Amino acid sequence: MKRPKIEGFKSPCVLICGAGPTGLTLACELVRRGVEVRIIDELPKPTTQSRALAVQPRTLEIFERMGVLDSFLEKGLKVTQINLYHHARKEFELKFDVIESAFPFLLSIPQADTEKILIHHLELLGCHVERGVRVLSIQKGCAFLHHPDGNEELFSPKWIVGCDGAHSQVRHNLNFSFKGIKLPELFALADLTLEGPLIHSEGHFFFENEGVFAFVPLTESNTFRMILPLKEQISPEQLTQDFFSNFLQKRAPYLHVKKTSWTSLFSIHRRIAPSFRKKNVFLAGDAAHIHSPAGGQGMNTGIQDAYNLAWKLALVHQGRGHHILLKSYNQERYPIAQKVLFFTTIITRFVTSSPPFVKKSFLFFMKKFKSASREKKLISAVADLSIQYKSSILYQPIWDLFWKAPKLGERAPDMQIARSGNQLFSYFHEEEHTLLTFGPISAELKQILCGYKISVFHSGDEEEILRRYHAEPTSVFLIRPDGYIGYRSSALKKDHLLRYLKKIFTNSGSGHAHGQGLGHV
Ligand SMILES: Cc1cc2nc3c(=O)[nH]c(=O)nc-3n(C[C@H](O)[C@H](O)[C@H](O)COP(=O)(O)OP(=O)(O)OC[C@H]3O[C@@H](n4cnc5c(N)ncnc54)[C@H](O)[C@@H]3O)c2cc1C
């Protein structure tokens, strides 16, 4: 078929290729900010595979701000701790209740349900996924689309985001490599209903001399996803109920398989694109990076890519933000993806190929040097709460370099506020920047903010917040719409803050700062 010519007209629209968890999150967040979006997917129907199970606390915080949290909590199962066993004895446990989040647990929910909830939310916002529509190629920032009736369309959007998974056509058309390796390890996955002493709301990891195997709970009672590294190649047909029953009879005879509902063979690639952006085309989620599912980071990293990009793209698209915001997407998310690739590979190598004495030593050290702060650090990292961005849109006065307060690029600490009983996060605006202040709002501050759409939250003299933020009455923190600290200053300096605002925002003169507070605004 002859393809239509690329013409000059650009639709004022963002084209999202792929409606997996990454593309759906991005679409929801752009649409609610008033950006016109087209989201397409080559599949005629959403996936029914359970695939990624674990939703991390940081992603739950994001879902709360998106307004979909209740649906997730209704469908999912709260996993409150992870147990490590050696020779069938519990040696160590990691509890999620040590983390500083309103959601001190992992939520186990099949990926198909995650997608269903996001699709429903997107439809409520008035946007529908165009099904059966495939990206054939991207040229000069335009997309050739193939429709289910056989027609081809040339679409010329302002921005394109490739959320089209590991085999991304968008990435391919950018001539981007997908550098990395296929790890030699092969995993058997199975959703099993078990009879035995495993507590259903907890994860269980068995470090045995012969190898490691794990159970992550699924929502149905006594049902777990078993993850089993394999020492030799087998075919998918060999993954029968008998296969898992025989394995457990030898290695954990106190567990009996009652039902097998899904099995899969899973091999792991560790790959990353050279950049997550080229001109008006962005990559996010599996299209940009893939890695081992160890630690349950894959889907969460994709959702967090989308959440990072959405507010920046919306501000620039609407002419309210400078292009430096878009530059920061790659600056911020690329190193995070690299870290996820590194650590998930180490964990995978450790559980699959390390000799028994290494595993034993690991458990020994975990037990011997057990400390509340170390445990908190480890769990916070798994929960994606210790991410710290570094980019050109983060700013602080030089004299605050050593200020002990929460750092630039870190997620603003959340806590329950004694006076109101609400979480601090609930006072931060979901779509705009929020200026967190501690003393009375001066006329000077009002003048600085004039013309910018910034919400002001005045925490008053609430001690817990002052303590956690190491704040003085004149300190300020600018919290970005994604909840990270974009600007901080131990004492308000008008010119400095103004310089920052000018770097990020275009001042239309029509904006407004509006405030709320525990004290007086
Ligand atoms: C068996 C299995 C088990 C897994 N287990 C885990 C786990 O336990 N934990 C974890 O974190 N991760 C796990 N993962 C990985 C996780 O599923 C992915 O990280 C996650 O789906 C990434 O989301 P995404 O939206 O970026 O990409 P995807 O979910 O792959 O979505 C991409 C979408 O793009 C569409 N698409 C592709 N090409 C085109 C095209 N040319 N045109 C239009 N549309 C297109 C696809 O149809 C798809 O809907 C697992 C994956 C598999 C396969």
Side-chain angles (χ1 to χ4, degrees):
M1 180 186 278
K2 202 172 160 217
R3 291 193 173 162
K5 276 210 177 110
I6 296 175
E7 288 159 24
F9 172 73
K10 280 219 177 288
S11 158
C13 169
V14 179
L15 174 67
I16 300 174
C17 306
T22 307
L24 289 167
T25 303
L26 183 64
C28 290
E29 284 297 276
L30 286 173
V31 172
R32 84 145 152 184
R33 290 180 162 85
V35 177
E36 197 185 321
V37 162
R38 268 184 85 181
I39 175 166
I40 59 164
D41 199 289
E42 66 178 357
L43 291 180
K45 278 187 197 155
T47 172
T48 51
Q49 286 185 352
S50 65
R51 293 168 74 184
L53 285 182
V55 179
Q56 302 289 353
R58 177 64 193 138
T59 308
L60 290 172
E61 290 179 353
I62 290 173
F63 286 158
E64 186 190 33
R65 293 174 75 77
M66 287 172 66
V68 290
L69 181 73
D70 289 347
S71 310
F72 275 92
L73 295 183
E74 212 173 281
K75 283 246 168 185
L77 174 83
K78 292 178 185 172
V79 182
T80 51
Q81 71 179 53
I82 291 168
N83 305 309
L84 308 183
Y85 302 83
H86 188 59
H87 292 319
R89 224 182 64 194
K90 184 152 78 169
E91 294 284 338
F92 196 78
E93 55 189 30
L94 284 169
K95 293 190 176 185
F96 275 86
D97 62 2
V98 295
I99 58 174
E100 276 179 17
S101 168
F103 312 108
F105 49 85
L106 278 182
L107 194 77
S108 169
I109 179 168
Q111 185 168 328
D113 284 341
T114 294
E115 291 184 18
K116 233 185 251 168
I117 294 170
L118 293 174
I119 289 169
H120 180 66
H121 185 62
L122 185 62
E123 286 174 354
L124 289 180
L125 291 168
C127 179
H128 294 260
V129 177
E130 295 175 40
R131 290 265 160 214
V133 182
R134 183 155 47 97
V135 191
L136 292 177
S137 69
I138 307 282
Q139 281 174 34
K140 298 183 189 167
C142 302
F144 285 99
L145 308 179
H146 184 272
H147 285 264
D149 59 8
N151 277 334
E152 280 185 15
E153 175 195 358
L154 172 65
F155 186 58
S156 183
K158 203 163 171 196
W159 313 98
I160 297 174
V161 190
C163 304
D164 48 344
H167 303 285
S168 171
Q169 187 63 37
V170 176
R171 185 187 66 236
H172 185 70
N173 281 132
L174 293 179
N175 281 328
F176 276 177
S177 60
F178 206 29
K179 270 205 181 132
I181 51 163
K182 184 179 177 201
L183 300 184
E185 292 82 10
L186 186 68
F187 289 80
L189 304 179
D191 293 355
L192 306 174
T193 306
L194 294 176
E195 197 179 75
L198 296 186
I199 296 177
H200 186 229
S201 58
E202 298 174 3
H204 307 274
F205 290 74
F206 291 80
F207 288 74
E208 305 299 347
N209 289 345
E210 300 83 355
V212 175
F213 54 100
F215 297 95
V216 181
L218 295 157
T219 41
E220 218 177 294
S221 80
N222 293 325
T223 305
F224 294 84
R225 162 81 49 89
M226 182 176 182
I227 304 155
L228 174 61
L230 297 171
K231 291 208 166 107
E232 52 205 45
Q233 286 283 341
I234 61 169
S235 68
E237 294 74 41
Q238 287 172 273
L239 291 184
T240 58
Q241 183 157 320
D242 282 348
F243 174 87
F244 292 100
S245 292
N246 292 340
F247 175 85
L248 289 178
Q249 205 164 17
K250 277 190 229 143
R251 304 274 295 277
Y254 43 89
L255 296 174
H256 305 281
V257 183
K258 291 274 133 197
K259 196 173 118 194
T260 308
S261 41
W262 175 79
T263 63
S264 174
L265 276 180
F266 191 73
S267 59
I268 296 170
H269 291 254
R270 185 195 65 199
R271 297 183 187 282
I272 189 162
S275 168
F276 296 171
R277 181 188 180 192
K278 193 170 182 180
K279 294 184 181 162
N280 72 331
V281 185
F282 298 85
L283 294 176
D286 275 18
H289 45 75
I290 51 168
H291 49 81
S292 155
Q297 301 293 316
M299 183 182 73
N300 292 276
T301 308
I303 289 172
Q304 289 170 39
D305 286 346
Y307 199 61
N308 183 288
L309 180 61
W311 66 271
K312 297 172 177 175
L313 199 49
L315 277 178
V316 175
H317 185 79
Q318 291 162 343
R320 295 198 289 125
H322 291 298
H323 277 255
I324 190 171
L325 285 168
L326 296 182
K327 212 168 156 189
S328 75
Y329 169 66
N330 190 63
Q331 290 171 344
E332 293 186 350
R333 291 306 298 173
Y334 201 87
I336 300 298
Q338 278 180 315
K339 268 188 200 158
V340 173
L341 257 70
F342 178 75
F343 284 110
T344 52
T345 307
I346 295 234
I347 299 172
T348 309
R349 280 281 148 92
F350 167 70
V351 297
T352 54
S353 351
S354 64
F357 81 89
V358 175
K359 293 189 184 90
K360 222 171 154 182
S361 315
F362 167 74
L363 285 172
F364 173 79
F365 282 111
M366 290 282 278
K367 255 170 82 174
K368 179 93 182 153
F369 299 106
K370 187 174 158 78
S371 82
S373 74
R374 222 170 277 135
E375 239 173 278
K376 190 171 165 183
K377 245 185 172 168
L378 186 64
I379 290 282
S380 298
V382 173
D384 292 340
L385 294 172
S386 49
I387 285 171
Q388 187 189 1
Y389 292 138
K390 296 206 163 56
S391 72
S392 48
I393 59 161
L394 306 170
Y395 221 48
Q396 66 185 345
I398 189 115
W399 56 86
D400 278 334
L401 263 177
F402 301 105
W403 185 23
K404 271 190 166 165
K407 296 195 175 60
L408 271 188
E410 278 183 357
R411 160 187 162 277
D414 190 21
M415 68 201 73
Q416 199 182 37
I417 297 170
R419 206 180 310 175
S420 65
N422 295 332
Q423 290 294 128
L424 179 59
F425 269 11
S426 66
Y427 294 99
F428 296 164
H429 205 285
E430 297 94 355
E431 291 162 45
E432 295 171 8
H433 283 66
T434 303
L435 193 75
L436 174 62
T437 66
F438 304 88
I441 311 272
S442 60
E444 190 187 25
L445 186 56
K446 280 187 189 149
Q447 197 198 346
I448 299 171
L449 298 180
C450 184
Y452 295 102
K453 255 181 136 181
I454 289 177
S455 155
V456 181
F457 177 67
H458 169 50
S459 84
D461 54 2
E462 182 79 23
E463 266 199 25
E464 177 62 9
I465 307 181
L466 281 170
R467 193 187 56 75
R468 184 66 184 86
Y469 279 80
H470 293 262
E472 300 294 329
T474 58
S475 302
V476 290
F477 289 83
L478 192 63
I479 316 294
R480 314 186 322 183
D482 58 2
Y484 291 84
I485 298 169
Y487 176 91
R488 63 171 207 167
S489 178
S490 56
L492 176 66
K493 292 275 180 300
K494 182 181 162 186
D495 290 348
H496 197 268
L497 177 59
L498 206 52
R499 257 207 318 278
Y500 177 72
L501 296 176
K502 282 186 177 158
K503 192 171 164 175
I504 302 297
F505 302 107
T506 56
N507 187 340
S508 63
S510 61
H512 58 283
H514 51 89
Q516 54 173 331
L518 293 169
H520 175 71
V521 177

